[in-house]
Amino acid sequence: QRIKAETKTASGIYLPESSVKELNEAKVLAVGPGGLDKEGKRIAPSVTPGDKVLIPQYGGSPVKVGDEEYALFRDHELLAKINE
């Protein structure tokens, strides 16, 4: 799930939604069992649910559930894992 950009600055000024860009950060909500290598062995995913990751601006498979929008990414499409 993409993390929504703040609409309020540190000084308390509210920004219109049209001026707020989409962040390239996301929170991992779920992870599959992992992919298979050439020999058929399971490769464990590099992220776990709850991790923050850096994702490409474009790409992934958009999925809409109710009013919420999600994006599906393969493990190799993730740019970085953010450690806090």
Side-chain angles (χ1 to χ4, degrees):
Q1 181 178 27
R2 286 187 185 268
I3 297 174
K4 294 182 177 37
E6 291 291 324
T7 57
K8 183 178 174 184
T9 64
S11 60
I13 299 172
Y14 286 94
L15 301 171
E17 286 187 29
S18 60
S19 69
V20 178
K21 293 184 178 178
E22 227 177 55
L23 290 179
N24 290 349
E25 289 183 20
K27 180 180 177 185
V28 178
L29 298 179
V31 177
L36 298 174
D37 64 7
K38 293 179 182 178
E39 299 166 357
K41 295 180 184 174
R42 184 77 55 191
I43 300 171
S46 61
V47 293
T48 57
D51 287 347
K52 285 178 75 176
V53 293
L54 187 64
I55 57 175
Q57 186 171 2
Y58 301 104
S61 300
V63 176
K64 189 168 185 178
V65 178
D67 293 338
E68 291 290 324
E69 287 190 24
Y70 303 99
L72 302 178
F73 286 92
R74 295 183 184 272
D75 197 41
H76 68 273
E77 295 175 324
L78 300 175
L79 302 175
K81 181 177 172 180
I82 301 171
N83 295 324
E84 293 184 30

